[in-house]
Amino acid sequence: MTLIIKNIKTLTSLLFLPILAIPNIGYTDQNNPYNPKPQWITIHSSNYYDGDSDDLVTAGIGFTPLSSMIQKFKFADSDNPTTRELRQAKLNRFIDTKTGEGQLFGFRQQNLSPLFDGKIAGTEILATIKEGNVGVLLQIPVDFDKKKPCIVAIPASNYDGLYNAKDIQIRGLWGLKHNCAVVYNDKGLGNGIYDISSQQGFTIEGKIAKDNLLFNPKIKNRENFIKNYPNRYAVKQLHSKQNPEHNWGKYVLQSIEFALYEINDRFSATNTRNFTSYNTLILIYGAEDGASAALNAGELDKIGTINGIVAVNPQIQPNPEIASLTIQEGTSVRSFKYNSIPDYATTAALYIPCAIPAIEPNKADNYVPYASKYFYSQNRCDALKKANLLTKGTPKEALEKLYSYGWRPEMEIQLPYFYNKESIAFPYQYISSYGRFDVTENMCDYSVASTQQDPLYNFGEVMPLKEVKFSEIWSLSNGHLPIWANKDVTAIDLVANKDIDSPRREWFSSSEIKNQIDYGTKGAICLREKITEKRVNDGLKQVQATGNLNKIKTFIVHGQNNVKQLINHTSRPYVALNSGVEGKESQLRYIEVENASYLDGKSPFDNTLLAIDYYGEDAIEWLWANLTKNTTLPESQVIRTKPRGGSISQAPQATLENLVPIAQKPDSSNLIMIEDRKISLPK
């Protein structure tokens, strides 16, 4: 008899071969030759949490304390925090239930009791992928469903490491509540911060060490560098010279393979591999840069490993050479040129500090959050005029520059907050990574340094860590600069080495005239010029997306008012590209959400913005219902939401009148039509 195999997943499960088609992956025989441990993984620890004293989601804190007040947390010994303390510090996040979290998504207060406060028992395995030293965290709940196995893969949001609280307490929690194993990866970024002077960095557990670090750069002429640039740091994302973004999809697929190996090792009978991608439901659920990694994995998956993807606010970069974008809004049709992240991020860094005085406040508050922090906007405007980047040198002219790049009037109220929190580091991280710049190059005369932590008379000068110790940086960092010591003062940040007075944060930097702060205009102009360099463009080309999702069922969810992942440069062109590549075979659903951004609907935007994470969870519930119950997926649509209103910090409770659910069959007035690289949006 001849056996004909029509499904490659069936073939995989029959032959017990490696599940994923990833190049250069080797296997070493372990106790079970049918389930060999991947050669490319190093397992560091495995811990069981009882769901009482400690747990997978809240590190033993519980939902009620997290949602009642901001929990003050101190290490017993700040010089040597324990692994448990570090983990608890990372997962100590205030959950504002007024946003809808705890009511409409995430934890559900109505399902909690004195005996169950959201703590989930299970096993947590910490590992690294050897290539790139990528962190992997696998959580297997105690009630993992062995009869209907599933895995949810979560690439870390933004630039963070494994213990991103929102990843675990929203996306990971969803998987655990559905009795799935959840596997996180840090995309090769993680909290790889390295103290050049002490030659110390962080291990995968967050402990200070000199060996087995997340990032351990080789620094030429170290002593001279330290002499010239004391109190400096190397950061994995900026200085690894690996451009890890072009491997994000591969890392996600490897994390899934690792999860399958562990599940088989724990639950399969001897000499069998019961769990394969053929009989295990595999989903990817990511946000922001993690959403980009999710889509990258879908593009790499040529053998049907992945069953579904949800990507929320993806910072995706479609290849402009193979796509054009036509947008129709009502009867208006226009071709749209979209730009790379380095392009629009350097535009933001140039013009936002100047534009602040021209931003109109929200009528309900007559207030622009964080605008009062910008005392020197006109100095930036004058510097841009001198550099021939503005003709009039007015805030209004700078704001018009931002409009021409895709920011819209309804977004502008977020811009002071966005620049204050992201600063010059937003474009810098991409340009440094794509160009593979070494830490000693000090690209654009910037370096990473510890800064003045005293909030009084603070001008961001380079100072040794004092109020915050290096041992605490791992728990404070979200993988992105600045690293804040508190809400007003940074502990580590990019500094302008050639500030006229002395090296300091670009926020306090004077480029032209002594003691005349212009927010480091020279550095911002230099970064803008870097985007044309060959080394940067070569790295950018490595990460540009193809739009081919291999017919995987996918939701892309994007906030229309997102000032960070600009919709006209990310999701819209990607959806258009996918329609051109996959045509009618595409399984992509596209959801745009009004009054939503990358922010989570907390103060000072609680009365104007809604939590986009509600729609990520709504989308993955639709995907789950389709894959497990064969329900019909919703059509692409705009969600007409209603802001919570009221005044800042006093917005009422979010309800389903605000967070309007995704409709299976939206009204024609909300329907998004996608065909042959053209998106038709309802007015």
Side-chain angles (χ1 to χ4, degrees):
M1 182 179 73
T2 302
L3 179 64
I4 299 175
I5 306 295
K6 294 183 178 180
N7 187 308
I8 193 163
K9 285 190 175 183
T10 307
L11 176 64
T12 302
S13 68
L14 288 172
L15 297 181
F16 306 102
L17 293 176
I19 302 296
L20 306 178
I22 304 173
N24 301 320
I25 291 180
Y27 291 81
T28 56
D29 289 340
Q30 303 294 312
N31 295 332
N32 182 354
Y34 295 98
N35 185 41
K37 175 188 171 185
Q39 185 177 338
W40 39 263
I41 200 82
T42 299
I43 299 173
H44 298 280
S45 64
S46 177
N47 294 291
Y48 175 76
Y49 300 117
D50 60 10
D52 183 16
S53 62
D54 209 337
D55 72 292
L56 296 175
V57 182
T58 73
I61 303 172
F63 170 78
T64 300
L66 289 177
S67 61
S68 300
M69 65 180 68
I70 297 173
Q71 301 293 306
K72 294 183 179 180
F73 186 88
K74 289 187 177 181
F75 300 116
D77 179 0
S78 60
D79 289 319
N80 188 29
T82 67
T83 300
R84 185 175 188 272
E85 285 179 325
L86 288 164
R87 183 172 173 272
Q88 197 168 62
K90 287 289 285 183
L91 294 178
N92 180 21
R93 174 182 73 104
F94 175 62
I95 298 172
D96 182 355
T97 56
K98 280 194 168 185
T99 66
E101 186 178 356
Q103 306 284 340
L104 304 176
F105 67 98
F107 293 99
R108 298 292 199 280
Q109 286 178 312
Q110 60 268 32
N111 297 332
L112 304 180
S113 70
L115 297 177
F116 176 67
D117 196 25
K119 301 179 184 180
I120 297 178
T123 299
E124 189 171 271
I125 302 130
L126 199 57
T128 51
I129 297 170
K130 294 176 183 177
E131 179 193 339
N133 222 16
V134 178
V136 180
L137 179 70
L138 174 63
Q139 295 182 330
I140 305 174
V142 69
D143 53 0
F144 173 74
D145 193 338
K146 295 182 283 293
K147 294 181 179 179
K148 296 179 181 178
C150 57
I151 294 170
V152 180
I154 301 175
S157 299
N158 258 326
Y159 332 98
D160 209 347
L162 296 175
Y163 289 98
N164 178 284
K166 285 182 68 176
D167 279 337
I168 288 178
Q169 293 167 358
I170 294 177
R171 287 167 278 282
L173 173 66
W174 182 90
L176 296 172
K177 289 196 301 184
H178 287 72
N179 303 329
C180 301
V182 178
V183 62
Y184 310 83
N185 74 83
D186 70 13
K187 313 188 306 296
L189 303 176
N191 287 331
I193 302 160
Y194 179 81
D195 185 334
I196 296 172
S197 298
S198 68
Q199 301 182 51
Q200 291 182 319
F202 294 105
T203 67
I204 190 71
E205 298 93 351
K207 304 285 285 183
I208 293 177
K210 292 195 172 186
D211 299 302
N212 300 315
L213 305 178
L214 283 167
F215 181 45
N216 192 353
K218 295 180 181 179
I219 298 176
K220 295 180 181 178
N221 302 317
R222 180 190 300 269
E223 291 184 2
N224 279 341
F225 184 82
I226 294 170
K227 180 179 178 181
N228 293 324
Y229 303 100
N231 305 306
R232 296 316 202 267
Y233 300 81
V235 179
K236 188 177 184 184
Q237 182 183 18
L238 306 184
H239 305 128
S240 72
K241 299 188 290 185
Q242 295 174 343
N243 192 15
E245 188 176 338
H246 83 284
N247 281 323
W248 281 358
K250 174 182 172 182
Y251 297 148
V252 175
L253 294 175
Q254 284 181 312
S255 74
I256 294 167
E257 174 62 11
F258 171 62
L260 284 166
Y261 159 74
E262 282 289 343
I263 291 167
N264 276 287
D265 189 56
R266 290 166 188 272
F267 301 122
S268 291
T270 305
N271 295 331
T272 61
R273 183 166 184 153
N274 290 348
F275 305 98
T276 70
S277 60
Y278 174 64
N279 60 16
T280 303
L281 184 63
I282 296 175
L283 304 174
I284 308 178
Y285 187 7
E288 301 189 40
D289 285 71
S292 302
L295 296 174
N296 294 158
E299 293 186 354
L300 277 183
D301 181 20
K302 305 299 182 185
I303 62 172
T305 298
I306 302 164
N307 298 103
I309 297 170
V310 171
V312 181
N313 283 335
Q315 190 90 67
I316 196 72
Q317 302 192 76
N319 189 331
E321 296 179 2
I322 57 175
S324 58
L325 172 60
T326 301
I327 296 179
Q328 178 173 340
E329 295 182 273
T331 58
S332 174
V333 180
R334 61 191 173 101
S335 295
F336 190 87
K337 179 182 180 294
Y338 56 92
N339 303 100
S340 69
I341 295 173
D343 192 346
Y344 73 75
T346 51
T347 300
L350 270 177
Y351 294 109
I352 289 176
C354 169
I356 301 301
I359 294 174
E360 294 291 332
N362 179 35
K363 292 180 180 179
D365 303 294
N366 196 31
Y367 174 68
V368 180
Y370 278 65
S372 61
K373 294 179 178 291
Y374 292 78
F375 297 110
Y376 311 105
S377 289
Q378 190 57 51
N379 291 347
R380 168 57 74 92
C381 296
D382 294 342
L384 292 175
K385 181 180 179 181
K386 183 178 179 180
N388 296 317
L389 293 170
L390 289 176
T391 55
K392 299 178 182 178
T394 65
K396 184 177 179 181
E397 185 184 6
L399 195 57
E400 291 293 336
K401 289 277 190 181
L402 295 170
Y403 289 163
S404 70
Y405 252 76
W407 286 274
R408 303 191 310 275
E410 57 266 32
M411 298 177 175
E412 64 186 37
I413 195 173
Q414 301 173 60
L415 294 179
Y417 177 92
F418 169 64
Y419 185 82
N420 178 264
K421 294 301 181 184
E422 301 282 337
S423 72
I424 200 70
F426 181 53
Y428 194 96
Q429 63 201 354
Y430 292 103
I431 293 169
S432 185
S433 181
Y434 296 159
R436 300 175 189 259
F437 285 90
D438 188 83
V439 63
T440 59
E441 291 185 75
N442 287 340
M443 182 182 67
C444 289
D445 289 320
Y446 285 112
S447 60
V448 180
S450 49
T451 54
Q452 184 182 7
Q453 295 121 62
D454 181 357
L456 298 176
Y457 307 106
N458 188 313
F459 287 96
E461 295 121 317
V462 174
M463 296 274 186
L465 287 173
K466 183 180 178 182
E467 281 80 1
V468 172
K469 298 181 180 180
F470 185 61
S471 56
E472 299 173 274
I473 291 296
W474 187 85
S475 60
L476 290 173
S477 173
N478 63 0
H480 173 257
L481 297 173
I483 298 173
W484 294 87
N486 57 53
K487 67 185 179 103
D488 297 314
V489 176
T490 63
I492 293 177
D493 197 2
L494 278 172
V495 298
N497 293 325
K498 294 187 178 180
D499 176 87
I500 290 177
D501 293 292
S502 68
R504 65 190 61 230
R505 289 184 62 206
E506 54 85 30
W507 179 261
F508 297 103
S509 179
S510 304
S511 294
E512 300 283 348
I513 302 172
K514 191 175 178 66
N515 296 322
Q516 185 168 299
I517 294 172
D518 61 6
Y519 307 107
T521 306
K522 278 188 176 179
I525 292 173
C526 174
L527 278 185
R528 181 70 181 160
E529 293 170 347
K530 285 288 177 186
I531 68 174
T532 62
E533 287 192 6
K534 183 179 184 301
R535 66 191 290 188
V536 176
N537 280 310
D538 286 347
L540 174 62
K541 288 176 183 176
Q542 286 185 314
V543 307
Q544 287 173 334
T546 68
N548 186 357
L549 287 168
N550 297 300
K551 307 178 187 64
I552 298 170
K553 294 176 179 179
T554 301
F555 278 90
I556 290 179
V557 177
H558 211 109
Q560 286 187 339
N561 288 4
N562 190 332
V563 301
K564 185 176 180 181
Q565 293 89 25
L566 279 179
I567 199 167
N568 279 343
H569 303 293
T570 53
S571 286
R572 283 178 178 173
Y574 186 85
V575 171
L577 176 57
N578 172 264
S579 71
V581 172
E582 293 196 281
K584 295 186 183 300
E585 293 185 318
S586 173
Q587 294 292 306
L588 174 62
R589 267 67 177 177
Y590 179 47
I591 310 295
E592 289 193 5
V593 184
E594 291 182 334
N595 304 304
S597 180
Y598 74 102
L599 301 168
D600 54 11
K602 293 181 181 178
S603 179
F605 302 105
D606 51 327
N607 61 340
T608 54
L609 295 175
L610 298 168
I612 191 69
D613 285 315
Y614 168 79
Y615 291 97
E617 186 164 303
D618 198 16
I620 202 165
E621 284 287 0
W622 276 109
L623 200 55
W624 177 266
N626 171 264
L627 292 168
T628 60
K629 300 177 183 177
N630 203 31
T631 58
T632 302
L633 289 174
E635 298 178 74
S636 297
Q637 60 194 274
V638 173
I639 308 292
R640 310 292 186 180
T641 64
K642 178 183 177 183
R644 290 158 59 194
S647 56
I648 291 174
S649 300
Q650 297 180 19
Q653 174 71 45
T655 69
L656 290 177
E657 290 185 359
N658 308 112
L659 295 166
V660 179
I662 297 171
Q664 190 174 44
K665 291 187 176 181
D667 294 341
S668 59
S669 59
N670 298 331
L671 192 65
I672 298 176
M673 303 298 293
I674 305 161
E675 187 176 9
D676 195 20
R677 303 184 185 184
K678 177 182 176 182
I679 297 179
S680 297
L681 298 168
K683 286 292 274 186

